[in-house]
Short mmCIF file of all heavy atoms in Angstrom, two decimals:
data_model
loop_
_atom_site.label_atom_id
_atom_site.label_comp_id
_atom_site.label_asym_id
_atom_site.label_seq_id
_atom_site.Cartn_x
_atom_site.Cartn_y
_atom_site.Cartn_z
N GLN P 1 50.10 -123.07 47.14
CA GLN P 1 49.10 -122.84 48.18
C GLN P 1 47.96 -122.05 47.57
O GLN P 1 48.17 -120.96 47.04
CB GLN P 1 49.71 -122.06 49.35
CG GLN P 1 48.74 -121.76 50.45
CD GLN P 1 48.24 -123.00 51.17
OE1 GLN P 1 49.03 -123.89 51.48
NE2 GLN P 1 46.94 -123.06 51.43
N MET P 2 46.76 -122.61 47.63
CA MET P 2 45.59 -121.99 47.01
C MET P 2 44.58 -121.66 48.10
O MET P 2 44.07 -122.57 48.77
CB MET P 2 44.98 -122.94 45.98
CG MET P 2 45.98 -123.41 44.93
SD MET P 2 45.21 -124.35 43.60
CE MET P 2 44.64 -125.79 44.51
N ASN P 3 44.31 -120.39 48.25
CA ASN P 3 43.35 -119.92 49.25
C ASN P 3 42.18 -119.22 48.57
O ASN P 3 42.27 -118.85 47.39
CB ASN P 3 44.03 -118.95 50.22
CG ASN P 3 45.18 -119.58 50.97
OD1 ASN P 3 45.13 -120.76 51.33
ND2 ASN P 3 46.22 -118.80 51.22
N SER P 4 41.10 -119.05 49.31
CA SER P 4 39.92 -118.36 48.79
C SER P 4 39.51 -118.91 47.43
O SER P 4 39.27 -118.16 46.48
CB SER P 4 40.19 -116.85 48.70
OG SER P 4 40.56 -116.32 49.95
N LEU P 5 39.42 -120.20 47.35
CA LEU P 5 39.13 -120.85 46.07
C LEU P 5 37.74 -120.51 45.57
O LEU P 5 36.80 -120.34 46.36
CB LEU P 5 39.31 -122.36 46.20
CG LEU P 5 40.77 -122.82 46.19
CD1 LEU P 5 40.91 -124.21 46.79
CD2 LEU P 5 41.32 -122.80 44.77
N LYS P 6 37.63 -120.42 44.26
CA LYS P 6 36.38 -120.09 43.59
C LYS P 6 36.01 -121.22 42.63
O LYS P 6 36.91 -121.95 42.17
CB LYS P 6 36.56 -118.80 42.79
CG LYS P 6 37.06 -117.61 43.59
CD LYS P 6 37.31 -116.41 42.68
CE LYS P 6 37.84 -115.22 43.46
NZ LYS P 6 38.09 -114.05 42.56
N PRO P 7 34.72 -121.33 42.30
CA PRO P 7 34.34 -122.38 41.33
C PRO P 7 35.11 -122.28 40.01
O PRO P 7 35.40 -123.30 39.38
CB PRO P 7 32.85 -122.13 41.14
CG PRO P 7 32.41 -121.56 42.45
CD PRO P 7 33.55 -120.69 42.89
N GLU P 8 35.46 -121.08 39.60
CA GLU P 8 36.21 -120.91 38.34
C GLU P 8 37.66 -121.38 38.44
O GLU P 8 38.38 -121.40 37.44
CB GLU P 8 36.15 -119.45 37.86
CG GLU P 8 36.55 -118.44 38.90
CD GLU P 8 35.34 -117.83 39.60
OE1 GLU P 8 34.40 -118.59 39.96
OE2 GLU P 8 35.33 -116.59 39.80
N ASP P 9 38.11 -121.75 39.62
CA ASP P 9 39.44 -122.35 39.76
C ASP P 9 39.42 -123.85 39.45
O ASP P 9 40.48 -124.48 39.42
CB ASP P 9 39.97 -122.15 41.19
CG ASP P 9 40.23 -120.70 41.53
OD1 ASP P 9 40.77 -119.98 40.67
OD2 ASP P 9 39.89 -120.29 42.66
N THR P 10 38.25 -124.40 39.22
CA THR P 10 38.14 -125.81 38.89
C THR P 10 38.89 -126.11 37.60
O THR P 10 38.65 -125.46 36.57
CB THR P 10 36.67 -126.22 38.74
OG1 THR P 10 36.03 -126.08 40.01
CG2 THR P 10 36.54 -127.66 38.25
N ALA P 11 39.82 -127.06 37.67
CA ALA P 11 40.66 -127.38 36.51
C ALA P 11 41.57 -128.55 36.88
O ALA P 11 41.65 -128.94 38.05
CB ALA P 11 41.52 -126.18 36.12
N VAL P 12 42.26 -129.05 35.88
CA VAL P 12 43.38 -129.95 36.12
C VAL P 12 44.63 -129.07 36.24
O VAL P 12 44.89 -128.24 35.38
CB VAL P 12 43.55 -130.97 35.00
CG1 VAL P 12 44.77 -131.86 35.26
CG2 VAL P 12 42.30 -131.82 34.85
N TYR P 13 45.37 -129.29 37.31
CA TYR P 13 46.55 -128.49 37.59
C TYR P 13 47.80 -129.30 37.28
O TYR P 13 47.93 -130.45 37.71
CB TYR P 13 46.55 -128.04 39.05
CG TYR P 13 45.59 -126.91 39.31
CD1 TYR P 13 44.22 -127.12 39.26
CD2 TYR P 13 46.04 -125.62 39.57
CE1 TYR P 13 43.32 -126.08 39.47
CE2 TYR P 13 45.17 -124.58 39.79
CZ TYR P 13 43.80 -124.81 39.73
OH TYR P 13 42.92 -123.78 39.93
N TYR P 14 48.70 -128.67 36.54
CA TYR P 14 49.92 -129.33 36.09
C TYR P 14 51.15 -128.59 36.62
O TYR P 14 51.20 -127.36 36.63
CB TYR P 14 50.02 -129.34 34.57
CG TYR P 14 48.92 -130.08 33.87
CD1 TYR P 14 47.75 -129.44 33.48
CD2 TYR P 14 49.06 -131.44 33.58
CE1 TYR P 14 46.74 -130.12 32.82
CE2 TYR P 14 48.06 -132.13 32.92
CZ TYR P 14 46.90 -131.46 32.55
OH TYR P 14 45.90 -132.14 31.89
N CYS P 15 52.13 -129.37 36.99
CA CYS P 15 53.44 -128.85 37.36
C CYS P 15 54.36 -129.02 36.15
O CYS P 15 54.25 -130.02 35.42
CB CYS P 15 53.95 -129.66 38.55
SG CYS P 15 55.63 -129.34 39.04
N ALA P 16 55.25 -128.07 35.95
CA ALA P 16 56.18 -128.14 34.82
C ALA P 16 57.55 -127.61 35.22
O ALA P 16 57.65 -126.76 36.11
CB ALA P 16 55.63 -127.35 33.63
N ALA P 17 58.58 -128.11 34.55
CA ALA P 17 59.96 -127.72 34.84
C ALA P 17 60.69 -127.29 33.58
O ALA P 17 60.59 -127.95 32.54
CB ALA P 17 60.71 -128.88 35.48
N ASP P 18 61.38 -126.18 33.69
CA ASP P 18 62.23 -125.66 32.60
C ASP P 18 63.68 -125.79 33.07
O ASP P 18 64.08 -125.12 34.02
CB ASP P 18 61.85 -124.20 32.34
CG ASP P 18 62.78 -123.54 31.33
OD1 ASP P 18 63.42 -124.26 30.54
OD2 ASP P 18 62.86 -122.29 31.34
N GLU P 19 64.45 -126.64 32.41
CA GLU P 19 65.84 -126.82 32.80
C GLU P 19 66.66 -125.59 32.42
O GLU P 19 66.69 -125.20 31.24
CB GLU P 19 66.44 -128.07 32.16
CG GLU P 19 67.83 -128.39 32.67
CD GLU P 19 68.34 -129.73 32.18
OE1 GLU P 19 67.53 -130.56 31.73
OE2 GLU P 19 69.57 -129.95 32.25
N VAL P 20 67.28 -124.98 33.43
CA VAL P 20 68.01 -123.73 33.23
C VAL P 20 69.31 -123.78 34.02
O VAL P 20 69.57 -124.73 34.76
CB VAL P 20 67.17 -122.52 33.69
CG1 VAL P 20 65.87 -122.41 32.90
CG2 VAL P 20 66.85 -122.62 35.18
N SER P 21 70.10 -122.73 33.89
CA SER P 21 71.27 -122.60 34.73
C SER P 21 70.83 -122.54 36.20
O SER P 21 69.85 -121.88 36.52
CB SER P 21 72.01 -121.31 34.39
OG SER P 21 72.96 -121.01 35.40
N PRO P 22 71.51 -123.25 37.09
CA PRO P 22 71.09 -123.27 38.50
C PRO P 22 71.00 -121.89 39.15
O PRO P 22 70.25 -121.71 40.11
CB PRO P 22 72.16 -124.12 39.17
CG PRO P 22 72.67 -125.00 38.08
CD PRO P 22 72.64 -124.15 36.85
N LEU P 23 71.75 -120.91 38.63
CA LEU P 23 71.76 -119.58 39.23
C LEU P 23 70.89 -118.59 38.46
O LEU P 23 70.93 -117.39 38.72
CB LEU P 23 73.20 -119.06 39.31
CG LEU P 23 74.13 -119.88 40.20
CD1 LEU P 23 75.52 -119.25 40.23
CD2 LEU P 23 73.57 -120.00 41.61
N ARG P 24 70.08 -119.08 37.57
CA ARG P 24 69.19 -118.20 36.81
C ARG P 24 68.09 -117.68 37.73
O ARG P 24 67.40 -118.47 38.38
CB ARG P 24 68.59 -118.94 35.63
CG ARG P 24 67.69 -118.09 34.73
CD ARG P 24 67.30 -118.90 33.50
NE ARG P 24 66.47 -118.15 32.57
CZ ARG P 24 65.14 -118.24 32.53
NH1 ARG P 24 64.50 -119.01 33.37
NH2 ARG P 24 64.47 -117.54 31.64
N MET P 25 67.90 -116.38 37.73
CA MET P 25 66.97 -115.76 38.66
C MET P 25 65.65 -115.37 38.01
O MET P 25 64.76 -114.87 38.70
CB MET P 25 67.63 -114.54 39.31
CG MET P 25 68.88 -114.88 40.10
SD MET P 25 69.69 -113.45 40.82
CE MET P 25 68.50 -112.99 42.06
N ALA P 26 65.51 -115.60 36.73
CA ALA P 26 64.28 -115.22 36.04
C ALA P 26 63.27 -116.36 36.09
O ALA P 26 63.64 -117.53 36.08
CB ALA P 26 64.58 -114.86 34.59
#
């Protein structure tokens, strides 16, 4: 959720996943 957007927020936005233990809290 992106609020109060600024011109400097202009970019390509990427989602990424790190496979970890399902109970990892970090």
Side-chain angles (χ1 to χ4, degrees):
Q1 179 66 44
M2 306 187 294
N3 300 324
S4 302
L5 283 160
K6 305 175 181 180
E8 52 263 43
D9 294 318
T10 295
V12 178
Y13 284 69
Y14 298 90
C15 172
D18 174 22
E19 187 172 342
V20 299
S21 166
L23 297 181
R24 182 173 182 263
M25 299 178 69

